[in-house]
Structures are given as C-alpha cells and as structure tokens.
Amino acid sequence: MTIRRMDNVLIVVDDLDAVIAFFVELGMELEGRSPVEGRWVERVIGLDDVRQEVAMLRTPDGHGRIELAMFHTPKAVSAGPRNAPANTLGIRRVMFAVEDIEGVVARLRTHGAELVGELADEDNYRLCYVRGPEGIVVGLAEPRG
C-alpha cells in the first residue's frame, strides 16, 4: 500500500495569533481554529494532560496544509535556538512557490520577518529563505519565465 498524499506539517508555537497572521500574509487561508484535548490526543501524541489550541491553514490551491499547535499543558519545550542555521539537524524550512518574491518578502517584513541570507537568482528560480515569528523559516521560490 502507498500513501495517498502528504496531509500537513505541524509546527508547535508559543504565539498562535502572530504565526497565523504571518502565514495568512504569505497567502495561506485559515481553515479553522479550535481547542484540542482529551484522552484520544494524549494517546496519539504520548503526553498526559494535553490542552492545546490548533489552527489549520491551507495553500490557495488546496493541496498543502500547515497545522499550528499552541500547548497550554504540558508547556512546550524548545529543541534548540530559534535562529538555528540551515545546517541544523531536523526540519529546517517549508518551501512555497510564489509570484513577486520581492513583494512577498516586503509583506512578510511587516510581521517581523527577515531574510536569512539574500535573494538569489538560479537558472530557473529566484530563491530566498525568510525567518518569521518564533524562528520559523520559509523558503520562497519564484519561477523564472
């Protein structure tokens, strides 16, 4: 049996409102937001006394989704520095194809985002990494031509 699709990527955050605003500014659409708790979630994620708030965002084409979770209990723990370099082990970024990469970067800067390196031209794309709220890194790729 094979997988049907990749459904979503989970990002655990401290400031759910700020991270939602960042991804909405990027162009994602908020599908919903709700509290999540109970024995079923505790059994799935292997933690006790879970109380969290979850938001689901989707890309405009409806194929990609990001789930954001803010834990009330147990308190979230940090896996490392928020400004970890690109060669740090683990998931480092989520990449989005965009139009008008410079415009997207300018809009994200209004939410505190900064370029990780610089905007670079490659044969088929203009590319950059942007660090947003809570150190979340998104890659942006604008196809050429």
Side-chain angles (χ1 to χ4, degrees), residues 55-68:
M56 188 67 73
L57 297 108
R58 73 172 174 272
T59 56
D61 66 3
H63 295 292
R65 294 176 12 176
I66 291 181
E67 180 179 355
L68 304 174

Side-chain angles (χ1 to χ4, degrees), residues 14-83:
D14 281 326
D15 188 341
L16 191 59
D17 292 327
V19 179
I20 289 171
F22 175 78
F23 281 110
V24 167
E25 188 67 54
L26 181 60
M28 296 191 80
E29 300 167 13
L30 180 63
E31 284 187 337
R33 180 176 176 166
S34 67
V36 175
E37 59 185 282
R39 186 67 190 132
W40 72 269
V41 72
E42 293 169 356
R43 288 180 24 227
V44 169
I45 68 175
L47 294 172
D48 293 324
D49 191 30
V50 172
R51 283 184 43 252
Q52 61 181 328
E53 188 171 357
V54 172
M56 188 67 73
L57 297 108
R58 73 172 174 272
T59 56
D61 66 3
H63 295 292
R65 294 176 12 176
I66 291 181
E67 180 179 355
L68 304 174
M70 181 179 71
F71 280 80
H72 299 288
T73 61
K75 190 71 179 150
V77 296
S78 178
R82 286 193 177 187
N83 293 335

Side-chain angles (χ1 to χ4, degrees), residues 100-121:
D100 184 22
I101 195 168
E102 290 177 8
V104 172
V105 170
R107 289 195 332 266
L108 294 178
R109 284 187 171 171
T110 67
H111 294 271
E114 292 295 330
L115 286 173
V116 171
E118 58 187 65
L119 183 61
D121 294 310

